[in-house]
Amino acid sequence: MDQTKRPLLIPPEFATYAEQHGVFDMYKRMLEQVIVNKPENPIQFLIDMLKRDNNDVPQIVILGPPATGKRTIAKMVSSKLRTAHLTPDNLVTEAETDLKVQAQQFIKKNQTIPTELWMTIIGERMKLFDCVKKGWVMEGFPQTREQCLALQSAGIYPKHCVILEAPDTVLIERAQGKRVDPVNGDIYHTTFDWPSNPDIQGRLKEVEGYTEEDMINKLIVYHRHFDGIADCYKKCSKTINADQPKADVFSQVYTFLSGQSRSNAPHTPRIVLLGATGSGKGVQASLLANKYNIVNVSCGHLMKQAIVDETKQGQAAKAYIDKGMMVPDNIVMTILCNRLSQLDCVTRGWVLHGYPRSREQAETLTKDGFVPNRVFFLDVPNDSVMERLTLRQSDPITGERYHMMYNPPQTQEVKERLCQQPSDTEDAVRQRLAQYHTYVEEIADFYLDAQHVNADQDPHTVFECIESMVVNPLPKHFP
Amino acid sequence: MADEEIQTPQREEETRQYLQEHRVLELFNNLTSQLIFSRPGDPKKFMIETLERLQKSKNTKRDYPCLFDDSNIQSVYGMLDPTNRGYITLKQYCEALDTLGIKDFEIRPEGAADDRISFETFLSEARSGLQRASATFTNQ
């Protein structure tokens, strides 16, 4: 039978399970490696691969014309992420003796090392413990499209490719001040990056092959090959301007490296929006629900609906509301559970707002199996909330809604008959704000990977911000 | 993932053949069913264990990791023959094996002519079928 037409008899809880444990990505990696390596005994191969346990390690390529600071950035990255640092030079010098001799013969004769030899060298290096266990940062390689494609067919493909870039004139100028520390190979610059340690200052040497003429030749070669390479890596690469102080370049590189590329894993969004009253939770939820066809679950609406429908829980809740008391958690939770376990929520995903309002509620939600995969805090200063809410007025005759600052009524007549919703008075708003702020910290403690969004902006700007974090995997935290 | 353009049709065909020859996709399907069934806390460790069991059964040619055992086969049969007539019809037999996820079973087993298939025939056919389905490797 065609595998894609097999009936899918998979329980819905498995989707949550698979998502939590990254099963899809694990399968993808396994199948990928089996296809690339085509081992004789796939079972043993998979066992070995799973035992190696190295799916999260960084695999990074840093490219750029000469003198853009590849070495400096690569060193910073590899020491920060604690990975192996590979350069074309150290690949050769640290290779097995016979490979090294072969390669050095080519270098002596001033010839380029053939791609096949490179592949053997890199292939051997990649099998070593540090590359496997901790990942690698490869700098200044591949240099041609041919090498790039050879790497790909060997199954070596970076997760991130950083391309450093600067105008040629800047590079030529910069190359002349380049100094190297003969002891550890660190690169310095006479004006821009002079070492503070006098010992190092004393032993710095000029580097050969960085005169203006050499640089021009090198740049020509670089530009000739660059487009081919960039095309191979276009899915995972980012270009960063290298004509900045190195700390700035590094911080940009680091931000890029901590992002993860979008995965093909099936993903049902289960979003919780948290925020003070008037922070725009409802607006954002309905925008998300419309665009991604997920279910908008507003806790307040559900309660009102239950009361109107006169369900058992609704009647129970009404008794509390009439007395102006908080509805007990278990009643709210039953109503919410009923909604969230309906088929549309399970298959399409949901965006919940107005709940949880305390840590206990958040805990019950998780305990009952409704684990959100994205949690957002919409942060708005109290003053903006006051301004947004207390100036709202509505016209009792037409039902039109006005805002005294952003959307004032046109005529005096309308203005005189405007009324304020009782829940929008300053006192009421202040009370709800205080309630929110009492609990917000303990909720934040519970949802550790919640994201904070500045919601004191135009609704669509806020929406874009939330959207990007819903669609892309959450940024990774390096230990 | 590699660039698509270098995957020439020939290489694609090779890969397809490789996957078929080594029954990789069936292996993955079985792994998935095991995973769905037990939903272990550490899927990676669980998969290593399952694969190792499979590897072992490949060498010893027995104890294939499979979700169903004889008792399941028995209860399927029991459901089809609630009155203990001692046989089931050919149609029931085919449906039952299909439900167990067995492919290419004997369509004309012993007793097919009378439309009466005994429990023994069903059991042996189901056993060998399940074994075939879970032995996802090439027998060299």
Side-chain angles (χ1 to χ4, degrees), chain B residues 8 22 25 28 34 42 51 61 77 82 91 105 110 121 127:
Chain B
T8 55
H22 292 265
L25 295 181
F28 272 78
Q34 296 274 0
D42 183 354
L51 285 167
K61 301 217 187 309
Y77 184 85
K91 198 175 164 220
F105 46 85
E110 206 189 314
T121 323
R127 259 193 207 154

Side-chain angles (χ1 to χ4, degrees), chain B residues 8-73:
Chain B
T8 55
Q10 187 211 339
R11 287 192 57 169
E12 205 176 305
E13 195 44 49
E14 257 173 51
T15 309
R16 232 177 265 284
Q17 214 167 20
Y18 170 83
L19 291 178
Q20 207 159 38
E21 205 176 295
H22 292 265
R23 307 182 65 183
V24 175
L25 295 181
E26 288 166 56
L27 169 69
F28 272 78
N29 276 338
N30 277 357
L31 279 179
T32 317
S33 4
Q34 296 274 0
L35 210 56
I36 292 178
F37 182 70
S38 20
R39 261 183 268 159
D42 183 354
K44 192 180 244 168
K45 200 171 134 220
F46 175 81
M47 277 164 90
I48 294 178
E49 280 165 10
T50 316
L51 285 167
E52 273 172 349
R53 252 167 51 217
L54 193 63
Q55 180 80 334
K56 213 166 119 195
S57 64
K58 179 182 171 181
N59 298 332
T60 57
K61 301 217 187 309
R62 50 183 300 194
D63 301 333
Y64 298 97
C66 182
L67 289 177
F68 300 115
D69 54 21
D70 279 5
S71 69
N72 297 104
I73 302 179

Side-chain angles (χ1 to χ4, degrees), chain A residues 129-408:
Chain A
F129 176 78
D130 57 344
C131 284
V132 170
K133 223 36 188 178
K134 297 180 187 158
W136 42 268
V137 176
M138 187 151 63
E139 156 213 332
F141 192 88
Q143 288 153 341
T144 62
R145 183 171 170 87
E146 195 194 343
Q147 292 169 347
C148 196
L149 295 182
L151 277 179
Q152 283 189 0
S153 23
I156 301 170
Y157 191 76
K159 289 178 186 157
H160 298 275
C161 171
V162 178
I163 298 170
L164 298 173
E165 208 178 51
D168 288 356
T169 44
V170 173
L171 294 177
I172 293 171
E173 211 172 309
R174 197 193 266 192
Q176 280 153 12
K178 184 165 172 171
R179 296 288 182 274
V180 69
D181 180 346
V183 178
N184 57 13
D186 279 353
I187 306 275
Y188 295 96
H189 190 278
T190 44
T191 25
F192 302 124
D193 188 15
W194 191 239
S196 46
N197 185 340
D199 289 345
I200 300 177
Q201 280 178 12
R203 65 176 188 236
L204 287 188
K205 274 200 198 142
E206 277 192 46
V207 195
E208 275 178 45
Y210 279 94
T211 61
E212 195 171 333
E213 202 182 325
D214 289 335
M215 275 300 288
I216 292 173
N217 289 334
K218 280 185 178 178
L219 283 169
I220 291 173
V221 175
Y222 174 80
H223 287 302
R224 186 186 305 148
H225 291 297
F226 176 70
D227 287 335
I229 302 175
D231 190 47
C232 284
Y233 290 150
K234 61 176 181 269
K235 278 185 196 155
C236 63
S237 66
K238 183 172 170 75
T239 308
I240 286 165
N241 177 14
D243 191 13
Q244 307 179 69
K246 71 177 180 188
D248 293 0
V249 178
F250 178 70
S251 79
Q252 286 176 26
V253 171
Y254 187 73
T255 321
F256 168 59
L257 294 179
S258 44
Q260 299 187 63
S261 56
R262 202 173 293 182
S263 119
N264 288 323
H267 169 76
T268 19
R270 293 186 303 275
I271 306 166
V272 169
L273 296 179
L274 295 163
T277 173
S279 59
K281 300 187 291 292
V283 176
Q284 297 301 335
S286 66
L287 284 173
L288 279 170
N290 275 335
K291 180 149 182 190
Y292 291 99
N293 189 28
I294 53 183
V295 184
N296 181 357
V297 182
S298 158
C299 190
H301 283 185
L302 277 183
M303 299 297 293
K304 283 177 198 156
Q305 187 69 47
I307 293 168
V308 172
D309 289 348
E310 296 188 344
T311 60
K312 224 169 99 190
Q313 290 86 19
Q315 281 167 342
K318 191 166 185 294
Y320 288 95
I321 291 176
D322 287 344
K323 286 184 203 149
M325 284 159 67
M326 287 271 275
V327 181
D329 284 358
N330 59 356
I331 299 179
V332 186
M333 201 53 213
T334 326
I335 296 176
L336 202 60
C337 276
N338 279 340
R339 182 69 191 97
L340 291 182
S341 37
Q342 275 168 30
L343 190 67
D344 56 345
C345 282
V346 175
T347 51
R348 278 155 49 197
W350 39 263
V351 46
L352 172 65
H353 54 107
Y355 194 88
R357 288 178 196 268
S358 67
R359 188 181 165 120
E360 286 83 53
Q361 293 183 345
E363 278 167 359
T364 359
L365 196 65
T366 301
K367 210 172 70 205
D368 286 4
F370 303 104
V371 188
N373 45 19
R374 293 286 187 283
V375 179
F376 296 102
F377 281 100
L378 303 180
D379 295 335
V380 191
N382 284 354
D383 292 347
S384 305
V385 172
M386 291 311 251
E387 185 188 290
R388 280 184 188 181
L389 296 186
T390 54
L391 298 177
R392 284 201 300 206
Q393 302 273 345
S394 56
D395 184 337
I397 293 175
T398 60
E400 198 72 29
R401 290 163 75 174
Y402 297 95
H403 188 279
M404 299 318 278
M405 203 183 289
Y406 304 121
N407 179 22

Side-chain angles (χ1 to χ4, degrees), chain A residues 3 13-14 17 21 26-27 30 32 35 38-44 47 50-51 53 55 145 152, chain B residues 1 3 5-6 15 18 22 28-29 31-32 36 39-41 43-44 47-48 51-52 54-55 137:
Chain A
Q3 294 297 334
E13 302 88 39
F14 186 70
Y17 170 81
H21 293 278
M26 184 156 85
Y27 268 47
M30 282 161 63
E32 208 173 86
I35 289 176
K38 296 206 182 70
E40 260 314 295
N41 182 352
I43 301 177
Q44 189 56 46
I47 296 178
L50 286 168
K51 278 193 177 159
D53 184 35
N55 23 18
R145 183 171 170 87
Q152 283 189 0
Chain B
M1 191 64 83
D3 238 352
E5 52 180 296
I6 61 161
T15 309
Y18 170 83
H22 292 265
F28 272 78
N29 276 338
L31 279 179
T32 317
I36 292 178
R39 261 183 268 159
K44 192 180 244 168
M47 277 164 90
I48 294 178
L51 285 167
E52 273 172 349
L54 193 63
Q55 180 80 334
F137 39 76

